[in-house]
Each structure stands twice: as structure tokens, then as C-alpha cells.
Amino acid sequence: MAEKLVLVSDMASTMKQVPSNFIRPLGDRPNLQGVVQSSDVCIPLIDLQDLHGPNRSHIIQQIDQACQNYGFFQVTNHGVPEGVIEKIMKVTREFFGLPESEKLKSYSTDPFKASRLSTSFNVNSEKVSSWRDFLRLHCHPIEDYIKEWPSNPPSLREDVAEYCRKMRGVSLKLVEAISESLGLERDYINRVVGGKKGQEQQHLAMNYYPACPEPELTYGLPGHTDPTVITILLQDEVPGLQVLKDGKWVAVNPIPNTFVVNVGDQIQVISNDKYKSVLHRAVVNCNKDRISIPTFYFPSNDAIIGPAPQLIHHHHHPPQYNNFTYNEYYQNFWNRGLSKETCLDIFKA
Ligand code: OGA
Ligand code: NI
């Protein structure tokens, strides 16, 4: 098998300096001192407790404001039990703590594989590596994929399946709320992204960012937008996520049992640019490793994505994008490196 270590989770603890392939060019470093702390600018925190009660229209309004002003919001009382969250965190930590030879059984460089461990962002196309390992699992419908997931740690399949089932519920209800907040029918977006079979896609990633000896030289993940409809992120107690707001990077520090939700590229298109898929990144630190677990909710490959007719006004707000199939978009997403350019440019009208 591999002669030199491929995963940062296995090399990090022995290093005093980051290897040269992780070092960003001078103009593209995190500038950790320049970051706005969340005490100054706050990503809105929205309580979903009464989403299906008399308070619904107020919550929808909060979502609308957050999506227009930040492209991001945080949610509490989302309905996922604490125990389910604890289990997915624990099994993620156990997975990355396995011996390298055991982990590497899951390693692949094929971005379309239904279960794969990799490192950085896209080892096939990027010039500079990122200080991250990740296990990415396709998870809807679960029965189609569960046998491909790692069987070690022994509880992984069960813990991930339970978490994914709960997260599917959260995704569907948030997308309904976003659809409503745009003035569309409640089921409009879920219907569009389901494609012919009415089956959207869901992936889970377990991101592992080891402590880094020189965090000012590299990224956990460089600035990017997500290829999704929405992304719902669970983070442990270590800060690292930053969101671009008015040209400044704002730290989104973890709040226990709270998810960070962001609008992905597909909502930007469907909303005809009313909501923006906002740049965000993960930085690393020299003290503590960090785990984050995004749930990616995105269209079926055959779904046809384009601005919703109701959000097009031919004179003052024409369609900003041409229609495309999700498959066309997704091929393009993985073939380009993780550059700052959004991959929506080629579909601009
Ligand atoms: C992602 C992502 C942020 C984080 O995986 O797309 O933006 O904090 N992660 O890990
Ligand atoms: Ni992201």
C-alpha cells in the first residue's frame, strides 16, 4: 500500500511545520487576525420550535431575511435528539482514530464513489492541499448505499443511518420553509429537485481537521460555495467555520446542538439570485483537532434546475441563468479545482 502517509490525520501529530504542498501563496492566506468575531456580527439564530404552529409565518420571515442578508442561518429546536448527535460525533472521532491501514481500505480518488475517504478537497485537480481528511457517504435512499459504507467502527453504519434519517426530515422541512419564504408553493423546490423519480440526493461528510503546526499558512477548506440545495452543518466545540459578509470573514462559532444552514448554488439559481450561495471556508488552529459533519441535500441528477417562473419578471428581472440538468452542473463542479469562482458562471444567462 502507500509508502508515504496520505492522510493528514496520520501525519499531523509528528509535524513541526506544514509540508510545502500545503502552503498557500502569499496573497491567499487566512489572515487569522483579520477575522470578525461572532460577537460583532451574528449569523441569525432561528428557533424552529413552532415551525408547524401559529408562529410559522414569523419564522419564514426570519429565514427570508437571513437568506437575503447572509446566505446562512443557525437553527435550534430542529428535532434531532441530542443522543443521535452525540453518536455521530463519537463514531466520527473513532473512525479517524483508526490505524492508517484500516482507514485506507475506504480511500479513493474517484469523487463519484458512494463511499470514500479522501483528503484535502479534490486531490485530482488542486495545486495546493488542504489540512483536512473526509469520509463522504451517499445516504439516500439508505438501503441502496449502506453496504458500501465502512463497517469499522462497528457502529458506524447504524449511527450514520440514524443520523441521516433524522437529517432528511430536517432538510425537507427547511427546504419547504425556504420555498415559502420565496413566495413559491411549499413543495415547489422539493418537487423540482426530485427530478423524474421524485428522489433528491443526500450525502454526509465527516470532516476531520487535525491540529496544525502553522495554521496561518494553510486552510482546512479554502473559500467555496456549496453545490447543494442546502447544506446543514454540525460542528463540534472547536471554532473554524468562517463566512464572507460584506467583504469580511466572520467566524461562526459553535453553539451546542445547533446546526448551521446555508443556501447552496441550486437555491441561488431557483431564487433567480434573490438568495446568494455565499463563500465560506474552514480554518485550522494549532491546539485542537476539529470535526464538522455537513449534510448535503441536492437534486437528482436528472432534475432540471433554473429560475422559478414566478421569480422572473421579463422587464425588470429577467432570468439570470439558463436551465441545466443537475448532472451537467455536478460534473463541472468536480472537474474544476476548488477555486473562488462559483461554478455557476457557465450557466449564466
Ligand atoms: C463543507 C464546508 C465547513 C466546515 O464541507 O462544504 O463548508 O466548517 N465545511 O467544515
Ligand atoms: Ni461548504
Side-chain angles (χ1 to χ4, degrees):
M1 202 151 279
E3 284 132 34
K4 74 179 195 105
L5 298 174
V6 281
L7 299 173
V8 269
S9 49
D10 297 306
M11 61 173 107
S13 62
T14 62
M15 285 188 173
K16 299 270 185 311
Q17 292 183 317
V18 301
S20 56
N21 59 308
F22 288 90
I23 301 179
R24 295 271 153 190
L26 264 173
D28 176 28
R29 292 186 185 169
N31 180 21
L32 299 170
Q33 282 73 41
V35 170
V36 179
Q37 285 309 314
S38 21
S39 47
D40 303 326
V41 181
C42 258
I43 301 301
L45 179 61
I46 301 177
D47 185 343
L48 298 181
Q49 182 77 57
D50 294 328
L51 185 60
H52 297 287
N55 218 4
R56 184 173 177 90
S57 66
H58 177 63
I59 299 173
I60 302 283
Q61 243 175 29
Q62 290 177 292
I63 291 176
D64 176 54
Q65 288 302 305
C67 289
Q68 287 193 56
N69 299 332
Y70 295 87
F72 267 81
F73 53 96
Q74 309 179 79
V75 294
T76 56
N77 290 314
H78 40 65
V80 182
E82 269 181 55
V84 175
I85 291 177
E86 276 163 22
K87 276 194 258 178
I88 191 86
M89 272 294 172
K90 180 158 177 277
V91 79
T92 300
R93 193 162 285 289
E94 286 168 3
F95 178 82
F96 285 101
L98 290 171
E100 159 153 274
S101 58
E102 184 61 27
K103 278 183 284 195
L104 287 181
K105 290 178 186 166
S106 305
Y107 189 80
S108 168
T109 56
D110 173 7
F112 301 102
K113 206 163 169 275
S115 167
R116 67 163 182 137
L117 173 67
S118 191
T119 187
S120 194
F121 169 71
N122 183 351
V123 292
N124 301 318
S125 64
E126 66 204 357
K127 292 198 191 77
V128 184
S129 302
S130 295
W131 201 259
R132 171 184 81 141
D133 293 336
F134 64 98
L135 178 66
R136 188 169 175 128
L137 306 173
H138 293 206
C139 40
H140 180 70
I142 289 173
E143 316 74 68
D144 289 4
Y145 299 115
I146 190 165
K147 292 209 176 64
E148 298 181 47
W149 300 348
S151 54
N152 189 12
S155 73
L156 184 139
R157 290 181 182 175
E158 197 185 317
D159 295 342
V160 171
E162 192 182 22
Y163 184 77
C164 288
R165 279 193 199 98
K166 296 284 186 213
M167 292 312 285
R168 177 150 195 266
V170 178
S171 308
L172 292 172
K173 75 180 178 191
L174 283 173
V175 172
E176 284 184 348
I178 290 172
S179 206
E180 249 180 275
S181 77
L182 285 166
L184 304 170
E185 286 164 46
R186 192 182 284 201
D187 66 347
Y188 179 84
I189 297 177
N190 282 323
R191 244 187 312 131
V192 166
V193 303
K196 287 200 198 83
K197 280 202 285 186
Q199 198 170 90
E200 78 290 344
Q201 306 190 67
Q202 183 186 342
H203 293 180
L204 174 108
M206 298 170 166
N207 290 324
Y208 183 73
Y209 304 99
C212 175
E214 295 176 296
E216 60 290 342
L217 300 183
T218 192
Y219 289 111
L221 262 181
H224 66 281
T225 65
D226 288 351
T228 54
V229 176
I230 59 169
T231 304
I232 308 178
L233 184 82
L234 171 67
Q235 24 179 8
D236 70 4
E237 68 292 339
V238 180
L241 175 63
Q242 300 177 347
V243 174
L244 194 64
K245 167 71 178 157
D246 302 328
K248 298 211 170 85
W249 290 101
V250 175
V252 187
N253 293 337
I255 306 173
N257 290 308
T258 301
F259 295 125
V260 180
V261 182
N262 66 291
V263 164
D265 286 358
Q266 310 313 311
I267 295 268
Q268 178 170 321
V269 172
I270 292 169
S271 76
N272 202 21
D273 274 354
K274 184 172 186 201
Y275 295 169
K276 287 281 169 27
S277 176
V278 167
L279 281 172
H280 55 283
R281 65 187 192 182
V283 297
V284 289
N285 73 83
C286 51
N287 298 314
K288 282 191 168 164
D289 58 1
R290 170 171 182 261
I291 288 172
S292 75
I293 305 177
T295 292
F296 300 112
Y297 176 87
F298 56 100
S300 157
N301 281 326
D302 68 8
I304 297 168
I305 307 297
Q310 276 175 269
L311 301 175
I312 296 172
H313 304 283
H314 278 283
H315 294 295
H316 63 271
H317 192 52
Q320 304 296 302
Y321 304 92
N322 298 315
N323 289 357
F324 51 85
T325 64
Y326 189 69
N327 188 49
E328 293 172 76
Y329 167 93
Y330 202 54
Q331 298 292 330
N332 180 49
F333 176 82
W334 283 106
N335 290 338
R336 125 217 112 112
L338 187 50
S339 59
K340 279 193 182 151
E341 289 76 43
T342 154
C343 50
L344 286 178
D345 285 344
I346 64 168
F347 303 111
K348 279 242 184 274

